[in-house]
Amino acid sequence: MSTRILPAVGDADAARSITTLLSQLPDAEPAAPLGDSTTLLDTLARLAAESLDELPEVVLVHERIGPVPALELIREVALRFPAVGVVLVTADMSPGLYSAAMDSGARGLVGLPLSYEELAQRVQAAAGWSVGVRRHLSAGAEMFTGPGGTVVTVSGAKGGVGATVVAVQLALASAASGHTVALADLDLQSGDVASYLDVQFRRSIVDLSTIQDISPRVLQDALYSHDSGLALMLAPSEGERGEEVSDRVVRQTVSALRHRFEVVIIDCGTHMNSANAAAIEMADRTLLVTTPDVITVRAAKRMVRLWDRLQVRKAEETVTVVNRYTRNTEIQPPLIEKITATKVARVVVPANFKELHAVIDAGRLQDLEAKSTVKQALWGLAADLGLVKNSENADKQGKFKGDRGSLGGRRGRTK
């Protein structure tokens, strides 16, 4: 039986060396090296969505892979794709690194400079372990085998564009359709999810900052169960404590949420830091909220370019949501799509703040009237994004379970 091997190597010289040795291994089918962590995770998610059998038996992770550090990447692969054996390629063979790699989920280490015998031995051991896990899974064992729930991040091109309103309504729409939904606030210095949903809760994501492994019990203790059916992971009430939330904490938290909930909506705010950048990189879908004016569209373009430079998200993988749209605006969605080089959502959100005024002042965004054109548009956007169950039936019936009013989202851009 052949062994499929997927190398993730950021260094060109190391990639050539690894490829050469892998091609000499008996019964090995090495794939072309992937140059960064984002591409690796996207590739594995795509293969897992097709079938467990499509995943490679072995993934090699080079120590200088980026932008996600090697050990964090190994942890993410081990959590999301447990039937894949991961081997770390590193020049540091110290007991400390070996222990850290094993704790992260690696199945072995290969030292640099590379040795054919050592590489063959580690690959064979990881492949054997992978085959054993898959045999166990095929026997009908209850174990997670895929990429998990859908993670969607919502960011604002700049402050005040309505990103939190979009995130909250998407989460409410998904929960009303029958999904289990978590809503996380990663606007760490000035998050407003708690204010919009009338929540007073002392726990926040900061409480996970010192936890090395987030167990289901630890995660449950950090979540707030809202009356709407949402599980809330809140930002700290003291904005300065947001600095305690590192990208490692976010990666572990998002992974834990993904494994427990069918849909995870993350409000990333408008200010970029390593924490919300990690969430955007891990997301299955990334939304960028803008309004149809020159200043905000320019800010959206800057944000997209920033994500591209940081290698967290490509422009063509980003969906831009146009908020506060009016028919007579000079900047139409096709122009925004051209300027930002992103995909613009088919559903636009109308400019009708008077519908929102009362519920926002009351901190009860969940009570937004079903006849509201803003709510109809955002719930229609949730359906377009595939975040609701039986969206076609809901469309015909005019409502979701647990909601008093119609879906009624506009399926095309307002003319």
Side-chain angles (χ1 to χ4, degrees):
M1 177 181 176
S2 60
T3 299
R4 292 164 296 178
I5 307 169
L6 183 57
V9 189
D11 182 80
D13 292 335
R16 285 191 292 270
S17 176
I18 290 174
T19 301
T20 300
L21 280 181
L22 289 178
S23 64
Q24 298 174 13
L25 297 181
D27 299 324
E29 292 184 10
L34 303 179
D36 60 79
S37 57
T38 302
T39 306
L40 173 63
L41 292 174
D42 288 347
T43 300
L44 292 175
R46 175 176 52 80
L47 294 173
E50 296 176 8
S51 168
L52 172 66
D53 294 331
E54 295 298 319
L55 287 168
E57 283 76 25
V58 179
V59 167
L60 293 181
V61 174
H62 191 268
E63 62 181 356
R64 289 199 294 273
I65 195 68
V68 179
L71 291 181
E72 291 298 328
L73 179 59
I74 290 171
R75 182 186 298 274
E76 180 66 15
V77 172
L79 282 171
R80 294 177 60 182
F81 314 102
V84 174
V86 188
V87 176
L88 175 63
V89 180
T90 177
D92 181 4
M93 297 296 288
S94 66
L97 180 64
Y98 181 86
S99 176
M102 295 301 105
D103 289 342
S104 297
R107 305 307 307 174
L109 274 69
V110 177
L112 291 172
L114 290 172
S115 161
Y116 173 86
E117 290 78 10
E118 184 181 19
L119 180 63
Q121 182 180 1
R122 297 293 178 265
V123 167
Q124 183 178 7
W129 176 86
S130 174
V131 170
V133 170
R134 296 179 196 211
R135 187 180 299 114
H136 177 65
L137 294 176
S138 64
E142 292 293 332
M143 185 181 295
F144 171 74
T145 62
T150 299
V151 176
V152 179
T153 58
V154 182
S155 303
K158 67 181 191 67
V161 297
T164 300
V165 172
V166 172
V168 170
Q169 287 297 327
L170 290 180
L172 290 171
S174 186
S177 75
H179 279 306
T180 57
V181 182
L183 174 60
D185 193 346
L186 284 185
D187 188 357
L188 296 172
Q189 291 187 343
S190 54
D192 283 325
V193 168
S195 298
Y196 278 147
L197 293 174
D198 191 25
V199 171
Q200 293 181 352
F201 190 51
R202 63 183 181 82
R203 303 299 297 272
S204 74
I205 190 172
V206 171
D207 294 291
L208 301 178
S209 60
T210 59
I211 305 297
Q212 293 301 315
D213 291 302
I214 301 176
S215 66
R217 177 61 182 272
V218 169
L219 181 67
Q220 179 61 39
D221 288 344
L223 291 170
Y224 179 88
S225 297
H226 194 259
D227 292 341
S228 63
L230 300 178
L232 304 180
M233 177 67 70
L234 300 172
S237 56
E238 304 87 5
E240 67 275 11
R241 296 202 65 192
E243 297 180 359
E244 300 175 30
V245 181
S246 65
D247 58 336
R248 177 194 63 81
V249 175
V250 170
R251 292 184 190 285
Q252 291 188 359
T253 302
V254 174
S255 293
L257 291 172
R258 184 198 295 271
H259 281 71
R260 177 169 177 184
F261 296 92
E262 294 172 296
V263 175
V264 180
I265 307 293
I266 304 175
D267 180 1
C268 290
T270 60
H271 299 289
M272 285 298 300
N273 52 48
S274 61
N276 54 32
I280 291 169
E281 183 186 14
M282 295 177 67
D284 299 292
R285 298 185 184 90
T286 296
L287 306 184
L288 180 61
V289 181
T290 185
T291 50
D293 58 86
V294 173
I295 301 301
T296 309
V297 172
R298 285 177 177 172
K301 183 178 181 180
R302 288 197 302 271
M303 184 70 79
V304 169
R305 288 182 170 180
L306 174 62
W307 290 348
D308 186 63
R309 290 195 302 273
L310 295 177
Q311 296 183 334
V312 298
R313 184 66 53 166
K314 297 177 181 178
E316 59 269 23
E317 298 172 345
T318 301
V319 176
T320 298
V321 178
V322 182
N323 193 21
R324 299 173 193 158
Y325 176 82
T326 59
R327 294 183 180 182
N328 58 359
T329 182
E330 293 185 7
I331 301 181
Q332 292 292 317
L335 179 58
I336 296 174
E337 192 169 75
K338 182 177 180 181
I339 292 173
T340 61
T342 63
K343 300 175 183 177
V344 172
R346 295 193 304 133
V347 176
V348 295
V349 185
N352 204 341
F353 182 73
K354 64 181 180 180
E355 296 178 353
L356 298 168
H357 191 274
V359 293
I360 287 179
D361 282 353
R364 301 278 300 177
L365 196 55
Q366 67 270 28
D367 292 339
L368 183 61
E369 288 291 335
K371 64 182 180 181
S372 160
T373 58
V374 173
K375 178 175 180 176
Q376 290 175 2
L378 289 172
W379 285 41
L381 175 63
D384 258 20
L385 294 171
L387 302 180
V388 301
K389 289 184 178 180
N390 302 321
S391 59
E392 293 182 1
N393 292 336
D395 232 355
K396 294 175 182 178
Q397 296 172 5
K399 59 185 178 180
F400 287 137
K401 178 182 178 182
D403 182 58
R404 298 192 307 271
S406 64
L407 172 65
R410 294 189 181 114
R411 292 293 177 179
R413 298 186 182 117
T414 303
K415 297 180 180 178

